[in-house]
Amino acid sequence: MDTYTILKQLLTQIQNGSLDVEQGLEKLRDFPVMDIGHTRIDMHRSLRNGFPEVVYGEGKTPQQVGEIFQRMEDQASVLATRVSSEMAEYVQTICPEAEYNALGRTLIRVRDEIRPLEGEVAIVTAGTSDLPVAEEARVTCGMLGTRATIVSDVGVAGIHRLLDRLADLRKARVIIVVAGMEGALASVIGGLVSQPIIAVPTSVGYGASLSGFTALMGMLTSCASGVSVVNIDNGFGAACAAWKIINLMQAWG
Amino acid sequence: MDTYTILKQLLTQIQNGSLDVEQGLEKLRDFPVMDIGHTRIDMHRSLRNGFPEVVYGEGKTPQQVGEIFQRMEDQASVLATRVSSEMAEYVQTICPEAEYNALGRTLIRVRDEIRPLEGEVAIVTAGTSDLPVAEEARVTCGMLGTRATIVSDVGVAGIHRLLDRLADLRKARVIIVVAGMEGALASVIGGLVSQPIIAVPTSVGYGASLSGFTALMGMLTSCASGVSVVNIDNGFGAACAAWKIINLMQAWG
Amino acid sequence: MDTYTILKQLLTQIQNGSLDVEQGLEKLRDFPVMDIGHTRIDMHRSLRNGFPEVVYGEGKTPQQVGEIFQRMEDQASVLATRVSSEMAEYVQTICPEAEYNALGRTLIRVRDEIRPLEGEVAIVTAGTSDLPVAEEARVTCGMLGTRATIVSDVGVAGIHRLLDRLADLRKARVIIVVAGMEGALASVIGGLVSQPIIAVPTSVGYGASLSGFTALMGMLTSCASGVSVVNIDNGFGAACAAWKIINLMQAWG
Amino acid sequence: MDTYTILKQLLTQIQNGSLDVEQGLEKLRDFPVMDIGHTRIDMHRSLRNGFPEVVYGEGKTPQQVGEIFQRMEDQASVLATRVSSEMAEYVQTICPEAEYNALGRTLIRVRDEIRPLEGEVAIVTAGTSDLPVAEEARVTCGMLGTRATIVSDVGVAGIHRLLDRLADLRKARVIIVVAGMEGALASVIGGLVSQPIIAVPTSVGYGASLSGFTALMGMLTSCASGVSVVNIDNGFGAACAAWKIINLMQAWG
Amino acid sequence: MDTYTILKQLLTQIQNGSLDVEQGLEKLRDFPVMDIGHTRIDMHRSLRNGFPEVVYGEGKTPQQVGEIFQRMEDQASVLATRVSSEMAEYVQTICPEAEYNALGRTLIRVRDEIRPLEGEVAIVTAGTSDLPVAEEARVTCGMLGTRATIVSDVGVAGIHRLLDRLADLRKARVIIVVAGMEGALASVIGGLVSQPIIAVPTSVGYGASLSGFTALMGMLTSCASGVSVVNIDNGFGAACAAWKIINLMQAWG
Amino acid sequence: MDTYTILKQLLTQIQNGSLDVEQGLEKLRDFPVMDIGHTRIDMHRSLRNGFPEVVYGEGKTPQQVGEIFQRMEDQASVLATRVSSEMAEYVQTICPEAEYNALGRTLIRVRDEIRPLEGEVAIVTAGTSDLPVAEEARVTCGMLGTRATIVSDVGVAGIHRLLDRLADLRKARVIIVVAGMEGALASVIGGLVSQPIIAVPTSVGYGASLSGFTALMGMLTSCASGVSVVNIDNGFGAACAAWKIINLMQAWG
Amino acid sequence: MDTYTILKQLLTQIQNGSLDVEQGLEKLRDFPVMDIGHTRIDMHRSLRNGFPEVVYGEGKTPQQVGEIFQRMEDQASVLATRVSSEMAEYVQTICPEAEYNALGRTLIRVRDEIRPLEGEVAIVTAGTSDLPVAEEARVTCGMLGTRATIVSDVGVAGIHRLLDRLADLRKARVIIVVAGMEGALASVIGGLVSQPIIAVPTSVGYGASLSGFTALMGMLTSCASGVSVVNIDNGFGAACAAWKIINLMQAWG
Amino acid sequence: MDTYTILKQLLTQIQNGSLDVEQGLEKLRDFPVMDIGHTRIDMHRSLRNGFPEVVYGEGKTPQQVGEIFQRMEDQASVLATRVSSEMAEYVQTICPEAEYNALGRTLIRVRDEIRPLEGEVAIVTAGTSDLPVAEEARVTCGMLGTRATIVSDVGVAGIHRLLDRLADLRKARVIIVVAGMEGALASVIGGLVSQPIIAVPTSVGYGASLSGFTALMGMLTSCASGVSVVNIDNGFGAACAAWKIINLMQAWG
């Protein structure tokens, strides 16, 4: 039931006397907020249609995460990211149906079937060390109803490996590029395909890789052709950005 | 004529003897390159359908930019960014139909009518000092056939101004957020709407604004909800990223 | 007329039929925003009671600043900061009563008499090169109705000069400390007096002073005793923070 | 007995011969220092009126902290910050009445009743991960006789949650804003209320959050409206700065 | 068989009808890629002539590294770098002939005899703490068929030790300089000898050594005389760069 | 006359009595120094065989540079780098045969014919803005007797342009890669060819390009395959490093 | 007349009635300050014995500097640093006997003969571009009565030039090392001589020289042998530090 | 036997025929190096007169450090810095007379009585957390024959504590200032005394203290008065620098 309908009901109740002015004021006191909440959280609301509550596991205790899984039991699917194996084991004692993905460090519990969206996301990685971030993106896409395939180990130092996989990339609607080191893969793919590209720098590397900042800065400096970038190691965020595009096509397409 | 057709013709000519093996080899010697060029520049190719040649004006001399405008005269529209008024004046002596946008520092010459795409881009700015970057994005959108409207001066320090304009933002398919200082506007809008958001940090501010890096880092740290980011002051890049999404909807929608 | 009263009127009009439901909805559609605007700009509103419109001059053209002074002529006092002498001269051709402060680089036009607040602010500078920032703070305080005195050149390299002026500092309610180099003055004063201290790092110095970042970081690391810090060279911001404290005392004292 | 009186006595004793010149010189030799000590520690002295000795726990051994608690037993209340649970357990074996706050990582022992000051501090946090820093601030406020309430989890990505709590914020005299990531909450609240705001950046986040520096820089760049900032994670310092303002109102109000 | 020959065969088969156009197209569809793969991996191919597969051990599990050693058993020599002693022990349970170098943290398994190249590499270290990086370079050189000798502990603070070893340095064809701290050794050697110099900054030092960045920047600023630099602690990369030069001399000499 | 001959003469003179012991000691007192000078500057000496004196123009006055050209008139060729057109004009009034290269900002005067070395250097640039640095490298190579060809505008955003030029790159003995932005070109070429690669980051770009540091760091993080790097914009240094390799091949080949 | 004597006089005057208690208090009111000033400025005072008032010219107007020269006319010698030629010319119109040193950018006016101290300072520079900083140090030494000689252009890239000058360095009591780029000269000299070394990093260089920070950090990381460092380009500060050592020897020797 | 005597013997042997020219050349071939070694290590040699071998413990194994202590048993005293308690315990099993200082983390073994130098060093610390670095400096001074006293906990936040100790500071010949946070103590003491000051920044603090860099930069920016600085936490280096000054006074005084 949308805001307009609720407001109309309320005013009609005032008009026909089934609600007096004081009661109306009482309801309206919270209404702007509810309304704001209502209209402003449409993404959130839509997320509730089978979409997950999201928990950032890092810095939380296993107990805290376990509690969230329990509390959400009857309400929504849950996606927890940055979950250590110890945390996962603990949560599974409370919520046995939670599934742990050791590579992506995600823990999920699906409550209702997720409504699939049309259109695929390709997640490309430069090296095998970038796989955990790619996997976090893949799992997140899955929880958002978006099919995603990982095309791995096609870094620029062996450009032919990338060229071999171009046909696969061209089939996707959105491409997530996950790369550490100098992050050059985003530039190269950006010059080869016309789809929207979300680049994720990873903290893979040492010394001059600056824990991912060299990749981050490198990806940002090659944005001219329309590559946009998310935070270092932020596979989850890239998946959200990709989903927003996929979702937009359903809504307006 | 696409690659497949060209190759088929070539092989058929070999088969029917209208081309001998040596001639075929000669043609094929350049073909993989052409082919690679051909298939890899599909975005470029599509850009040629009335889309502009792009010139980054900074660091070039007025003469160099003038020469590009002249050379492109019969071939394509041209969009030059980061053009000083001196440079614009010079180029206009050579190419009088070039139009200068002093705010956005762009210089354009439209050769053929630009085919309009469906779906609007909203460009939101935090303060009036962010306008030049927003204008660069708006002009770029225009050259790519995409309608774009600037919603200006809705920075977070006066949040009510932003809330007043929410309805406008909700009508757009993609939102470009242009903000300097701490770049908080991207986070706030990211929490209010569900569309894809491209954030552009600007170099507005001093001291701790670090010439735009504080905004850049701030925007990157709030990407969880699917905001993605381009380089500092890169209005052009944001417009390209937005256009890629709009264009995707035409192609697949 | 406050929000509660307006809402009550509206509902009563619905109840007694002087407004039908559709009209009520129409009014309510904009109401949350108006309401939000209304309740959220109380600080802004209070600022309008004789308080200045503020213009950040850097990056604006003399024409733009001149236009703001003209537009505000009948409405509010104006305080422009970071104004070059060229800009000031231009604005004064348009608005002759504008007063330029060359040291503080401020340009003001006072429209109504400013209501003075009780309680003084002391602005302490480490060296003579910090004076422009201190002067910007002093002028800003003045425009906000707050008396402010500059105690200059009492840097820590000659600690006795500071000790000589302690009695003066103890008379102030809030102390603004303006210092470049290593910014040690904030720590030293923080150990000597009990009033709230707002520290302003300045970009005075070279090499390891890092354009003010050494002072900024130095001031932040000595905050244990309750020193708080504003941006580099931000005399205006320090004055605002000081005024908020002085103003609080009037409101609640 | 103040400096003036002491000096007058001394000179009178010289004048009337009850002290000879050599004795006078001997007394004067230490006098400037004593005097300086005396007049300079008034804040310290006032702190002793039931106010705590403060111990920074990090980098100290449990034994060292335990010794301080023991030594202060008959003299003053003690507030230890950054105390691990192991350290707390050890100190409690020596000083059983010490109370540990696991969230805020504080350990306190109150010796005399703390004289309450009038006026409340609101401590606002962006996310649940900012709570430890907020709790450190809350406990510190308590030890300084200042009531403080935490308003948690009102980050800018869900702006409606903040708007719901505005009334609570407006009741406070000083607002402490605790936020990591991009630190935008300080800007937003700074635009909504007129009270003094002390912003505390936290080290919550990863990659581009730069261990709290993005929040720190972001908060500093939005100081125009009078927000001032303390060091990263420095809940204690923010509480001291807030207390200085509250205390000022008692002294001068 | 090279690309030209393959293409000629194909076209001849089309010409003489042993392949029809559709079959030719099918083969050509993959051809550019194969071709690209073929011509682009000549370095890789040459590496396979008794040269090692390289594994970067850091961030991998012992199991993953063990698996690579097993998989490569019948195919190529293996060089693993950044291998902890625990990892080495595990891999040796699977592949007992793997040899661990605890100082250089390398693990190697040589399958075929390595064809030795003519010309020696001198690896010079500033201090004993730089030895692990030098040893990684030495082992890598060995796996690439290049003799390398370490000249250790000739840092610039005792310049005479370096001068004593000059004759040894002059015998080498390429010199790798491994130094932490301020990295001055590269400058000094660069002024004394005429051979190509590859400088490797190390993360030895503390505080202002910035984990190797001071050495890195120092080495880069003295490149005027033809010193070139690789990443911090990258002994492997320096050895590769040195080998490329040695190898070039075999190929063209 | 080399050191050995000089020492032998001296000792023979002592032996045959044409020099007494005291005279011999006197001569030997300065000899180690001369000797050190002599043996240590063999590269310098070799440079004198028709090789240039090098002048870094930046920060020098036209007068200073002019004086060096004059002083070297009868002694050696001169290569001045970072020469503005004003400086060049001035020097040419003194030394009319000096040739200015406006693109590379070099000024040269060749005294003797330069002995050509065998083997070519390819200088690859990512974009046209990298040309000045490439030109500095090309001119320097020329002054060192090394042929160098510029392969321009083959940046990774249009990878096919690079693939078209691979054959040219394979003919060179050493490849200098000049690239700004993210510097990815070095990684890509490093994966395609087996020759030694010297990478030169350029300060082309803005914002996240960090005046060339993003390219520098990016190039350093991809060194695993043997790419080595020189300072930002240091075309001269890259040419020296390349010449050292070419020269080595003449000396040992 | 020292503090003790003044105090004794004052107390004696009180004792003998030539001063009453109120008058004594009045005099004492300022006395602790004077006394503090007196005892704390002994270095300052000693500086006045023919030693200069110091003016940092940068950021001051010619008028301001001229005024200081005028005001000091009858009181003390003046040393102004960072003086442009325009500033010097202006000051010389007011104070014709002021002597400008264009290389060191110093302007001095000597009032009384400077008492020479025993012991020489050697100022060593790496390259000719470091000369301005060295010259600032030399002039400052001269104004402090300390002989200083510049040993120029002995950078580590040609180590033999340094070794030739060792005897000269060994004659000095304190050595100031002025070097940009990687700052290695300080390390090398620190290993060759036993005197105190003050290192001055200079902003000479580009790119990775980071405006002097690479030299600064390099000099700091090689401090083990007792090198200490002053700010970038701070020739004046190095001279002060050297003078303090020379002066100490006069005072205690 | 010094260089002169050796050379004279050699030449005399040539002259009198007891050595032929070839033999003389053979001996001379190594001589410059020996000579260089001989004359260049005078500081080292002088250090051997009862002075310690120095070992940097960090990054070494207990076994390595134990071996050095054993090897030096009959040759020299040993000073090891950055020694953990575990390392100390191990070394003491091998070398029982080694004395561990847990606070300063030093391990020493004195072989011969250390010849005391005249003149004291004062080591001043800002807070108790700076004590380990101060203690390292104190122990190092002791091993170099220099008396050193620690004046602790006189940080600038309680300036009166420092003023109370001024007399003690004035007795010292050299002052080492050890301070973390903003490092302001060096500036303050530099303004109060005239002796040479060596400042040691410490890594005490968090957030904006940047692991000691804020203190380092702060100390460098206040060098005008002749403060010089060593690396972060480098108590050993400060003691060496202080000793060089004290030693200079013995040598030349």
Side-chain angles (χ1 to χ4, degrees), chain A residues 156-160 163 181-185 187-192 206-210 213-214 216-222 224-225, chain F residues 156-160 163 181-185 187-192 206-210 213-214 216-222 224-225:
Chain A
V156 296
I159 202 79
H160 61 285
L163 299 179
M181 309 303 239
E182 81 284 55
L185 190 57
S187 305
V188 172
I189 294 182
L192 293 174
Y206 58 97
S209 82
L210 294 170
F213 274 90
T214 294
L216 172 55
M217 293 300 149
M219 285 165 165
L220 285 164
T221 58
S222 57
S225 45
Chain F
V156 296
I159 202 78
H160 61 285
L163 300 179
M181 308 303 241
E182 82 285 56
L185 189 59
S187 305
V188 172
I189 294 184
L192 292 175
Y206 59 97
S209 82
L210 294 170
F213 275 90
T214 294
L216 172 56
M217 292 301 149
M219 286 165 164
L220 284 164
T221 57
S222 57
S225 44

Side-chain angles (χ1 to χ4, degrees), chain C residues 156-160 163 181-184 187-192 206-210 213-214 216-222 224-225, chain H residues 156-160 163 181-185 187-192 206-210 213-214 216-222 225:
Chain C
V156 296
I159 203 77
H160 62 285
L163 300 179
M181 308 303 239
E182 81 285 54
S187 306
V188 171
I189 295 183
L192 292 173
Y206 59 96
S209 81
L210 294 169
F213 275 89
T214 294
L216 172 57
M217 293 301 150
M219 285 164 164
L220 284 165
T221 58
S222 58
S225 45
Chain H
V156 296
I159 202 78
H160 61 286
L163 299 179
M181 308 303 238
E182 83 284 54
L185 190 57
S187 305
V188 172
I189 294 183
L192 293 173
Y206 58 97
S209 82
L210 294 170
F213 274 89
T214 295
L216 172 56
M217 292 300 149
M219 286 164 163
L220 285 164
T221 58
S222 57
S225 45

